[in-house]
Amino acid sequence: MTTPETPAAPAPKKDHGRAGRDLPAAIGSAVVLVGAILLSLFFWKTAFMAIVAIAVVVAIWELHRGLSAKDIDIPEQPLMLGGAVMVVVAYVWGAPALVTATAVTALVIMLWLLRRGVDGYVKNATASVFTLVYVPFLGSFVALLLAEGSRLPGFGLDLADDGVRGIITFIAITVASDTGGYIAGVLFGRHPMAPVISPKKSWEGFAGSAVACVAAGVFLVASFLDGDWWVGVLLGLITVVMATLGDLCESVIKRDLGIKDMSQVIPGHGGLMDRLDSLLATVAPIWLVLHYLVF
């Protein structure tokens, strides 16, 4: 007579400590992502726009996946197509074309949803327009920033091009915010900033982000962009506030939807939206400051 085997206990989740993430995997993924961005800017800067368009499409897919947890069904096809078009027209024709493309895409989405009938129309249409503004509209400011330089296709990294320098500044100062906040939070974090929304985010981490952002802003604006140092201070302060708000807003979205990560497409980071939250929140104000005070 045989006795039934005792089911194996599930393996305990690996504790990543106060870091809250698999640090080696996170660093490896970050290196690959930054490398892809730099290579696209180095070889053919227009290829960078393809990366932005792909990121927009993946982010929309992630939001569709996350919103479905609350029975919200946004139409992926018009959002993805419209989002990609918004990125392209922003780069080629500028801000007025972006506003027009956004309005047209919103109308197309609302018409698209009519095919499903009355039930859930307001809920799905509202979430769709929210997604449209949150991802492709804000993401298209990356295209506006790159378009500060020459729009003509060119090969090779041209550090005299305002658009290329603007993109590098935007990425570097936002990364400085995340890195400074992460290090200060891990080492000194004692006082939670918003324990209900994001328990690991602390005021000490925010202070670390502020110091890193201001330092990076002054250095980049004064040395790299040939602008006034006080613009770097302004840029750093705006970035740390917007990056923090972007991170908190995405945390609220995930908590409301009852999910931990938007997806697992980036090892060590979770979903693409888990990395884009700060970038999407900072790119518009960074473009505004650089456009009017530097370029």
Side-chain angles (χ1 to χ4, degrees), residues 276-289:
L276 290 182
D277 50 8
S278 298
L279 294 168
L280 289 172
T282 59
V283 63
I286 286 177
W287 170 78
L288 191 68
V289 171

Side-chain angles (χ1 to χ4, degrees), residues 231-255:
V231 176
V233 175
L234 177 64
L235 192 67
L237 293 176
I238 290 175
T239 299
V240 68
V241 171
M242 296 308 298
T244 302
L245 288 176
D247 187 46
L248 289 175
C249 286
E250 211 247 349
S251 295
V252 168
I253 292 171
K254 290 190 294 185
R255 285 189 175 276

Side-chain angles (χ1 to χ4, degrees), residues 193-279:
M193 177 181 287
V196 175
I197 299 172
S198 182
K200 292 184 179 295
K201 188 168 290 296
S202 65
W203 285 108
E204 291 82 1
F206 179 78
S209 292
V211 171
C213 274
V214 170
V218 171
F219 173 77
L220 289 166
V221 170
S223 302
F224 190 49
L225 301 180
D226 298 322
D228 296 324
W229 67 269
W230 62 268
V231 176
V233 175
L234 177 64
L235 192 67
L237 293 176
I238 290 175
T239 299
V240 68
V241 171
M242 296 308 298
T244 302
L245 288 176
D247 187 46
L248 289 175
C249 286
E250 211 247 349
S251 295
V252 168
I253 292 171
K254 290 190 294 185
R255 285 189 175 276
D256 186 31
L257 296 177
I259 57 178
K260 184 178 185 300
D261 294 313
M262 285 296 183
S263 73
Q264 296 295 329
V265 298
I266 307 177
H269 291 275
L272 185 61
M273 280 299 300
D274 297 301
R275 293 300 93 204
L276 290 182
D277 50 8
S278 298
L279 294 168

Side-chain angles (χ1 to χ4, degrees), residues 120-137:
Y121 180 84
V122 173
K123 176 178 66 175
N124 293 327
T126 302
S128 299
V129 174
F130 164 77
T131 301
L132 179 70
V133 173
Y134 186 29
V135 179
F137 179 72

Side-chain angles (χ1 to χ4, degrees), residues 12-60:
K13 293 183 178 179
K14 188 175 180 180
D15 182 14
H16 298 299
R18 295 178 66 182
R21 68 178 71 169
D22 185 347
L23 195 56
I27 293 174
S29 298
V31 169
V32 171
L33 291 173
V34 172
I37 291 169
L38 292 177
L39 284 174
S40 65
L41 289 174
F42 181 81
F43 287 109
W44 186 32
K45 78 172 192 175
T46 307
F48 176 70
M49 298 318 305
I51 293 178
V52 175
I54 292 171
V56 164
V57 169
V58 174
I60 290 171

Side-chain angles (χ1 to χ4, degrees), residues 70-115:
K70 291 289 187 178
D71 295 324
I72 302 173
D73 186 15
I74 60 176
E76 286 182 298
Q77 295 85 353
L79 273 168
M80 289 178 175
L81 179 59
V85 170
M86 288 162 61
V87 170
V88 172
V89 300
Y91 180 64
V92 177
W93 291 296
L98 170 60
V99 173
T100 302
T102 304
V104 170
T105 303
L107 291 171
V108 169
I109 288 169
M110 287 188 282
L111 290 173
W112 186 284
L113 288 171
L114 287 176
R115 303 162 57 209

